[in-house]
Amino acid sequence: MFVQPPTWPEEFAKRYRENGCWRGETFGGMLRERAASLGNKTAITYADTHISYQELDESVSSLAAGFHQLGIQKGSRVVVQLPNIPAFFEVIFALFRIGALPVFSLPSHRSSEITYFIEFAEADAYVIPDIDGGFDYRSLARQVKEKLPSLPHVIVAGETEEFLGLDDLRKDPALDPQIHVEASDIAFLQLSGGSTGLSKLIPRTHDDYIYSLWKSNEVCELTQESVYLAALPVAHNYPLSSPGVLGTLYAGGRVVLAPGSSPDVVFPLIEKERATITAVVPPIALIWLEAAPHRSDDLSSLEVLQVGGAKFSAEAAKRVKPALGCKLQQVFGMAEGLVNYTRLDDPEHIVIHTQGRPMSEYDEVLVVDDEDKPVPHEVAGHLLTRGPYTIRGYYKADEQNKKAFTPDGFYRTGDIVRLTKEGNVVVEGRDKDQINRGGEKVAAEEVENHLLAHPDIHDAAMVSMPDPFLGERSCAFVIAKGNNKPAPHVLKSFLRERGLAAYKIPDRIEWIDAFPQTGVGKVSKKALRELAATHTANV
Ligand code: AMP
Ligand code: DBH
């Protein structure tokens, strides 16, 4: 059953409509309109395949018919785990069109995450590629089916083996069931980085997400001439929507799907496809900065390199223009909503030293102390926000919502920021129990719970340790039950066997006799972070 999550109070919804933020458009309708007005213009380029808006719209109608005949209904949830391939777009737009909700999982997720998403979202289907990046997703699906035999459908884009093929679902586009979908309906469930245990599911409406797309397009100056190169996994909120691949389609531009983010893959593709904008996380930006002087690819078409997902150091930021010949845009966003951008005409010091400012004039941003009292400019505090594209509550999370949102609907981002005099945001830290591993978010508690399942572990606490490349890596401290203290690599394989995504496996695991404690007797993660940092400095 689809449980309606908390949404905007009517007075806010009315205001956002009257102010023209929410246009009453749906994703299904938007694609149909682009197909009608742009026809043969290329929407998506993937290797040597070019898919026009018209063709995309037709395959979406044909798959909408197929999903519907399979019993996927309005409000059904479908876990979608697809890499940067055209099927990603066909599937999600087909689901949008029949009012079913994609649950966006990442290609790096494994059985632990996937079974949780399917169970928690009560999904009717799970969509995968056959093989990607050398990994066979059908074997993952088998593990998932073993744990969840009642999962109705596994659908494979590619070689199906015993599963259902996406191609088998393609019907005559004329059979598109023409389901009525409201712009105020939830369009999909995006994943939170997670801080208290497992990822929470983020319900985004057509209205609010489409607003975030066209507003991003305004700020990033996307037009029909824009060519967005997708180097990050497109299911992630940042390359999906800031303005990302969906913003590009909204603008009528062209999406180029890259199969990876290394300079060997991306630089020749920028040259070949004349890409104008692309988005990366800081560690990838560092690799590109290192590689550029040694290569001869023509990157002259690239106008903007977006860097976000984790803090980009000012030293690295300074090098973007000289090394790559394009503008840098810093992006500080979250799947829950609020996105900040430096503007393309901002002076250099702002682009280098800040994470930009909210994209919408209707974003409300507060920086507060521990008692929720606003702090002055230039003083660091907790960032709270609400606005026309920031959710008012997670999906099926009544208890957690009481903590994650203030009574008047502000989302507690868990980020520590300061606001400059000009109104730009500088990210200073975090008060959520999360490790940001170069843009990949790891909830400490989730990993700790997996460690606690090991028979030799009495207690576990995971913290970040500084890293020059990723910004942060993870270090888990563990206390033994008895005398048995398996080597770290044994514990890492234990976690891998439990089906945990690779980026969540602690970079380091250390046995410790007892945890340092705070004044009130809680585990002091601050002291553990200091310990991890000293150890890092010593190696
Ligand atoms: P997620 O929960 O996965 O959507 O990640 C959102 C979080 O990523 C934010 O709340 C920040 O903690 C972090 N983040 C995103 N962009 C940046 C950035 N440019 N600088 C620092 N932190 C960032
Ligand atoms: O890290 C993020 O989640 C993120 C970063 C930049 C994001 O969701 C976004 C832009 O929209």
Side-chain angles (χ1 to χ4, degrees):
M1 191 190 55
F2 180 70
V3 186
Q4 189 60 41
T7 175
W8 293 266
E10 190 43 42
E11 61 190 289
F12 283 85
K14 187 163 171 273
R15 191 186 314 155
Y16 296 148
R17 278 192 201 98
E18 282 173 2
N19 291 343
C21 302
W22 296 353
R23 293 175 164 175
E25 291 177 296
T26 63
F27 280 101
M30 182 272 271
L31 180 61
R32 188 161 291 147
E33 279 175 27
R34 295 297 173 278
S37 63
L38 302 171
N40 291 330
K41 189 173 183 299
T42 301
I44 298 169
T45 298
Y46 173 66
D48 293 326
T49 307
H50 300 277
I51 300 168
S52 70
Y53 278 90
Q54 185 68 46
E55 287 164 335
L56 179 61
D57 186 55
E58 272 171 27
S59 22
V60 164
S61 290
S62 86
L63 278 180
F67 278 123
H68 194 66
Q69 287 181 21
L70 198 62
I72 309 289
Q73 292 171 358
K74 192 171 173 180
S76 300
R77 277 80 58 210
V78 174
V79 172
V80 178
Q81 187 182 32
L82 289 171
N84 293 5
I85 56 176
F88 175 86
F89 297 88
E90 298 173 339
V91 167
I92 67 167
F93 275 97
L95 295 173
F96 292 152
R97 208 162 255 174
I98 59 174
L101 283 65
V103 180
F104 287 118
S105 77
L106 297 171
S108 52
H109 287 140
R110 293 295 175 260
S111 63
S112 167
E113 289 88 10
I114 301 294
T115 44
Y116 163 68
F117 299 145
I118 293 173
E119 262 192 310
F120 187 76
E122 300 164 272
D124 287 330
Y126 169 41
V127 189
I128 52 170
D130 46 12
I131 293 178
D132 185 68
F135 180 76
D136 192 334
Y137 285 82
R138 295 160 301 192
S139 64
L140 172 56
R142 275 176 214 119
Q143 293 170 12
V144 169
K145 275 295 272 185
E146 211 163 281
K147 291 198 212 167
L148 302 174
S150 62
L151 168 67
H153 308 288
V154 173
I155 300 164
V156 184
E159 295 294 323
T160 61
E161 297 189 336
E162 73 269 39
F163 302 110
L164 189 59
L166 190 64
D167 289 336
D168 302 327
L169 290 183
R170 297 179 198 273
K171 312 287 169 199
D172 180 347
L175 297 175
D176 184 330
Q178 311 274 348
I179 305 289
H180 180 73
V181 176
E182 294 280 346
S184 55
D185 288 346
I186 305 297
F188 57 83
L189 298 170
Q190 185 54 280
L191 306 181
S192 81
S195 48
T196 50
L198 299 159
S199 284
K200 293 187 277 291
L201 301 187
I202 299 171
R204 302 288 302 256
T205 63
H206 295 263
D207 262 337
D208 92 73
Y209 212 65
I210 288 178
Y211 174 56
S212 88
L213 299 182
W214 68 257
K215 201 63 202 174
S216 292
N217 286 348
E218 265 181 29
V219 170
C220 304
E221 301 177 14
L222 247 62
T223 67
Q224 281 190 28
E225 308 328 309
S226 300
V227 180
Y228 178 94
L229 184 135
L232 297 172
V234 289
H236 190 280
N237 196 62
Y238 165 34
L240 190 64
S241 69
S242 298
V245 291
L246 293 182
T248 303
L249 296 179
Y250 192 89
R254 179 160 70 98
V255 170
V256 175
L257 295 173
S261 59
S262 76
D264 290 346
V265 170
V266 170
F267 287 10
L269 207 49
I270 294 176
E271 174 174 331
K272 177 167 177 238
E273 301 296 345
R274 307 293 297 158
T276 59
I277 176 167
T278 186
V280 294
V281 287
I284 296 175
L286 292 178
I287 294 175
W288 290 14
L289 291 174
E290 286 303 314
H294 310 290
R295 302 185 55 112
S296 57
D297 314 86
D298 175 8
L299 305 182
S300 61
S301 61
L302 197 64
E303 293 161 12
V304 178
L305 174 70
Q306 298 183 300
V307 181
K311 177 100 177 215
F312 196 38
S313 74
E315 300 78 69
K318 277 182 199 147
R319 293 164 54 202
V320 169
K321 195 166 199 158
L324 299 167
C326 62
K327 283 186 183 172
L328 165 68
Q329 179 175 53
Q330 295 213 38
V331 192
F332 162 43
M334 51 208 73
E336 287 81 357
L338 181 70
V339 181
N340 303 273
Y341 294 104
T342 57
R343 302 308 200 257
L344 300 184
D345 58 358
D346 271 345
E348 183 125 336
H349 72 273
I350 290 181
V351 175
I352 287 172
H353 294 281
T354 83
Q355 280 64 60
R357 54 188 178 279
M359 67 166 143
S360 163
E361 58 273 42
Y362 303 107
D363 282 318
E364 298 173 68
V365 156
L366 294 175
V367 183
V368 300
D369 64 16
D370 291 342
E371 273 76 52
D372 284 352
K373 300 267 182 318
V375 299
H377 276 89
E378 299 296 354
V379 175
H382 308 274
L383 174 66
L384 312 183
T385 185
R386 88 185 165 184
Y389 62 98
T390 296
I391 57 160
R392 292 298 186 115
Y394 293 102
Y395 180 64
K396 290 208 307 194
D398 287 348
E399 278 311 302
Q400 288 132 315
N401 284 340
K402 287 182 198 150
K403 290 199 185 119
F405 295 83
T406 67
D408 46 7
F410 280 83
Y411 167 55
R412 298 184 187 274
T413 65
D415 292 309
I416 306 284
V417 305
R418 82 184 144 82
L419 277 185
T420 67
K421 295 248 156 33
E422 295 113 338
N424 286 292
V425 180
V426 179
V427 180
E428 299 282 4
R430 191 178 325 122
D431 66 350
K432 49 189 166 190
D433 196 9
Q434 189 184 75
I435 291 126
N436 189 339
R437 205 174 168 281
E440 294 187 302
K441 320 302 186 309
V442 187
E445 195 181 316
E446 181 181 3
V447 181
E448 290 160 3
N449 285 336
H450 281 281
L451 284 166
L452 286 174
H454 191 281
D456 294 320
I457 293 178
H458 167 68
D459 208 353
M462 191 167 88
V463 294
S464 63
M465 52 186 181
D467 181 80
F469 177 57
L470 290 179
E472 298 170 16
R473 280 184 204 264
S474 54
C475 176
F477 290 96
V478 283
I479 299 177
K481 265 192 190 148
N483 293 329
N484 225 10
K485 295 182 181 173
H489 75 269
V490 176
L491 297 177
K492 289 186 191 182
S493 344
F494 170 78
L495 293 178
R496 235 171 268 121
E497 274 157 31
R498 288 179 66 83
L500 203 59
Y503 69 90
K504 296 183 185 170
I505 310 286
D507 291 290
R508 189 198 297 169
I509 305 183
E510 282 194 27
W511 291 101
I512 192 171
D513 292 334
F515 294 141
Q517 300 202 328
T518 64
V520 292
K522 288 207 297 188
V523 176
S524 169
K525 288 223 160 168
K526 185 164 173 278
L528 283 177
R529 273 194 296 274
E530 283 161 13
L531 191 61
T534 343
H535 290 198
T536 312
N538 290 341
V539 283

